[in-house]
Amino acid sequence: MGIFVTDSRRENCFFGPDKDTSMIDEQRAHLSKEELARYSRHIAIDGFGLEAQQKLKAARVLVVGAGGLGSPALLYLAAAGVGTIGLVEFDRVDDTNLQRQVLYSVDDVGRSKAHAARERLLALNPHIQVEVHETRLTSANALDIMARYDVVADGTDNFATRYLVNDACVMLGKPNVYASIFRFEGQVSVFNYRDAEGKTGPNYRDLYPTPPPPGLVPNCAEAGVLGVLPGIIGSMQALEVIKIVTGIGEVLSGRFLVFDAFTFEARIFKIRKNPDTPVITELVDYDEFCGVKKPERAIREISAIELATWIERGEDFQLIDVREKYEYDIVNLGGELLPLSEIESLASKIDRNRKVVVHCKTGGRSAQAIRLLEERFGYTNLYNLRAGILGYIEEVKPEMQRY
Amino acid sequence: MMKTLKIKAFGITRDILGGREVELQLNESGTVGDLRSQLSSTYPEVLQLKSLFIAVNNEYADDHVVLNDTDEIALIPPVSGG
């Protein structure tokens, strides 16, 4: 049974309490004399021993985010002898990181975090491999990157990436060692973990089906975080990764830890799968899902030059001006004045059977008017004058009054 | 008859409710779902959160769970820091 599955898209965690330990790849798990000495305190633990250390050596663990949580998690995983560590990080080291991101030092400020982290980890343990994914984790690359690892640890700093990591782990059947922090509080759980009986535990969406709107729950930069907190919580993440890989102990699956550093209280809540959680079958646009970017439907536009051509050749169209009356009095193109503020009550004045060009001063209010008219009244014949009347004056009629 | 519930707030709900521990009155037959709607109407930001994990006696509680005044109730909102 010395066969090791080499398919990079293999779907299940290779190591776990339910796996036959004789399946450890002997080459990948091989420990040199130096390594045996280095890990002697692990090997000495009753119930851990050489076998668990070999499992660590053969394991592939991905840490998403090398910041506050990723720093201690990566350091301890490297020190513990996880054979291959992947890290996903696109950011650069900043002065404000050093209060908690213990992977980095003053000399690293301005450098790529991914590369600085790799150097630091290899300096700590030259017997491991560190794979750098210097990129933002996205719906387009998440499955490819994550499929190459047995366990994923989520140490990201935003809701969009947390949902992405969760969903990709569910799709790939990987355990997601989750941790998150806020001021004095930390949360830890192991999501999507398949136990010895083959039962899969709850995932992030069983607790939080939909994300809060942007801005309501402040991030570390806005709300602050006590530097030692990610040190504690990220170390717990490393602990759970090590337990999953080696199959020792009781994994924090179906349980959710909340640690309050302020009162030094830790509570573990029992959690379970929610039957109403929709089955995750594909990755979505997580920025959109989290409301970070609002999907704006494209609207039709017309340039000043095109409008001039329409006028010149007597094209049949209606021209609507959605500015305020005082603006109209300063300068106008002879359109019908229907101010944006009154557009809903005046909508009946807008033709449906011929082209309608809508304009304002620079193009913003008219775009708003068009979206509103399309959504509420079902118009399909509206064109926005790009850059508004000022653009028209600039391109076509420079002699007209600007304001 | 009303019952008085002691509620522990975590994360951003501490800011919203104005403390680590708050007391709330609920109907005798009140459930987790009733608590959720009462919180949402008293504190609109709770409704805005969209997802709020409510635990009763250290266990995830569905909306139909009936609450007793001896229950330990915790509000655990999502946090995203890393």
Side-chain angles (χ1 to χ4, degrees):
Chain A
M1 287 293 285
I3 301 160
F4 187 79
V5 186
T6 50
D7 176 5
S8 67
R9 295 295 297 261
R10 66 190 192 277
E11 300 240 317
N12 295 311
C13 170
F14 187 72
F15 300 101
D18 54 330
K19 299 295 188 296
D20 181 350
T21 50
S22 66
M23 276 180 72
I24 298 176
D25 178 276
E26 276 169 24
Q27 258 186 334
R28 269 177 57 181
H30 176 75
L31 296 170
S32 65
K33 246 196 332 213
E34 294 80 16
E35 287 173 286
L36 287 171
R38 168 182 273 265
Y39 306 125
S40 62
R41 300 298 187 276
H42 271 170
I43 295 167
I45 305 170
D46 190 20
F48 194 96
L50 184 63
E51 197 181 298
Q53 194 61 49
Q54 286 172 330
K55 286 180 182 172
L56 284 176
K57 180 73 196 278
R60 297 179 56 83
V61 174
L62 182 71
V63 177
V64 185
L69 293 167
S71 284
L74 285 162
L75 285 167
Y76 276 108
L77 292 173
V82 169
T84 307
I85 297 176
L87 66 96
V88 184
E89 179 61 69
F90 64 90
D91 213 355
R92 292 190 171 271
V93 181
D94 180 272
D95 274 326
T96 63
N97 298 150
L98 302 179
Q99 157 260 23
R100 64 194 180 287
Q101 300 183 14
V102 294
L103 258 178
Y104 313 109
S105 48
V106 176
D107 292 341
D108 295 323
V109 171
R111 290 186 64 201
S112 139
K113 278 190 179 179
H115 290 285
R118 181 171 187 274
E119 262 178 43
R120 174 83 171 88
L121 297 175
L122 290 175
L124 174 62
N125 191 346
H127 303 287
I128 61 169
Q129 306 289 322
V130 179
E131 298 174 350
V132 161
H133 304 278
E134 195 172 15
T135 176
R136 208 178 273 270
L137 197 72
T138 66
S139 301
N141 64 21
L143 293 175
D144 280 343
I145 293 174
M146 289 164 65
R148 297 178 222 161
Y149 298 90
D150 307 315
V151 183
V152 178
D154 173 6
T156 55
D157 62 357
N158 62 85
F159 285 114
T161 318
R162 289 194 179 280
Y163 279 94
L164 168 60
V165 171
N166 181 75
D167 292 3
C169 277
V170 171
M171 286 175 67
L172 294 166
K174 312 269 181 198
N176 170 15
V177 182
Y178 159 90
S180 193
I181 51 174
F182 177 77
R183 289 181 189 152
F184 291 97
E185 274 174 47
Q187 302 181 342
V188 188
S189 189
V190 176
F191 292 130
N192 200 50
Y193 177 74
R194 213 170 55 145
D195 66 13
E197 279 101 56
K199 269 178 66 181
T200 303
N203 68 67
Y204 191 64
R205 285 197 188 242
D206 290 312
L207 293 180
Y208 302 114
T210 34
L216 185 58
V217 179
N219 59 27
C220 289
E222 295 153 359
V225 62
L226 193 68
V228 65
L229 179 72
I232 296 166
I233 301 298
S235 300
M236 291 189 187
Q237 260 183 308
L239 168 68
E240 289 309 295
V241 169
I242 290 168
K243 282 160 61 186
I244 292 169
V245 168
T246 57
I248 61 153
E250 286 167 41
V251 172
L252 193 70
S253 167
R255 296 182 293 158
F256 188 91
L257 172 106
V258 178
F259 175 71
D260 184 349
F262 196 80
T263 54
F264 215 108
E265 276 185 301
R267 282 158 185 270
I268 293 177
F269 300 96
K270 261 198 218 167
I271 57 172
R272 57 176 176 269
K273 287 191 83 68
N274 182 345
D276 299 330
T277 303
V279 180
I280 297 158
T281 54
E282 59 171 1
L283 300 179
V284 298
D285 181 334
Y286 290 88
D287 282 340
E288 194 179 314
F289 177 64
C290 293
V292 179
K293 81 176 180 215
K294 283 207 180 95
E296 280 203 316
R297 264 178 324 112
I299 54 170
R300 261 174 305 196
E301 286 190 333
I302 179 169
S303 70
I305 304 290
E306 283 172 284
L307 179 63
T309 318
W310 283 17
I311 293 168
E312 205 179 315
R313 67 169 187 234
E315 185 102 19
D316 182 26
F317 71 97
Q318 186 185 22
L319 184 65
I320 303 284
D321 187 338
V322 298
R323 297 176 302 154
E324 298 301 319
K325 175 144 192 328
Y326 80 90
E327 298 177 273
Y328 193 90
D329 291 343
I330 297 169
V331 62
N332 67 71
L333 299 175
E336 289 170 54
L337 180 65
L338 306 178
L340 176 62
S341 51
E342 299 161 44
I343 200 97
E344 282 185 82
S345 55
L346 300 172
S348 60
K349 295 183 183 249
I350 301 168
D351 284 344
R352 286 178 184 272
N353 303 323
R354 55 178 175 155
K355 290 173 183 167
V356 175
V357 176
V358 185
H359 86 84
C360 62
K361 187 177 179 182
T362 60
R365 276 175 287 173
S366 47
Q368 229 180 308
I370 290 175
R371 289 209 167 84
L372 192 149
L373 290 164
E374 286 180 346
E375 279 160 28
R376 303 250 174 97
F377 301 92
Y379 279 91
T380 56
N381 53 333
L382 309 176
Y383 293 77
N384 189 30
L385 176 60
R386 201 182 305 143
I389 191 170
L390 288 188
Y392 189 84
I393 294 170
E394 175 87 27
E395 304 253 336
V396 184
K397 292 264 163 108
E399 68 277 13
M400 283 174 84
Q401 175 69 47
R402 289 157 211 268
Y403 73 105
Chain B
M1 272 287 283
M2 300 291 275
K3 57 191 173 192
T4 305
L5 302 175
K6 277 205 180 97
I7 297 164
K8 268 194 183 288
F10 291 93
I12 195 68
T13 56
R14 285 187 176 168
D15 294 19
I16 297 172
L17 271 65
R20 286 167 186 272
E21 210 166 318
V22 292
E23 287 193 358
L24 226 105
Q25 301 277 318
L26 202 68
N27 275 330
E28 198 56 50
S29 59
T31 61
V32 169
D34 297 330
L35 172 65
R36 208 180 275 279
S37 1
Q38 188 169 327
L39 285 169
S40 299
S41 57
T42 318
Y43 309 98
E45 281 175 305
V46 170
L47 184 67
Q48 281 176 36
L49 269 178
K50 291 187 187 153
S51 294
L52 176 62
F53 161 17
I54 298 182
V56 177
N57 302 325
N58 295 326
E59 195 165 334
Y60 180 93
D62 291 330
D63 280 357
H64 65 260
V65 171
V66 178
L67 294 167
N68 296 306
D69 48 16
T70 53
D71 286 337
E72 208 176 60
I73 300 159
L75 310 180
I76 307 154
V79 303
S80 71

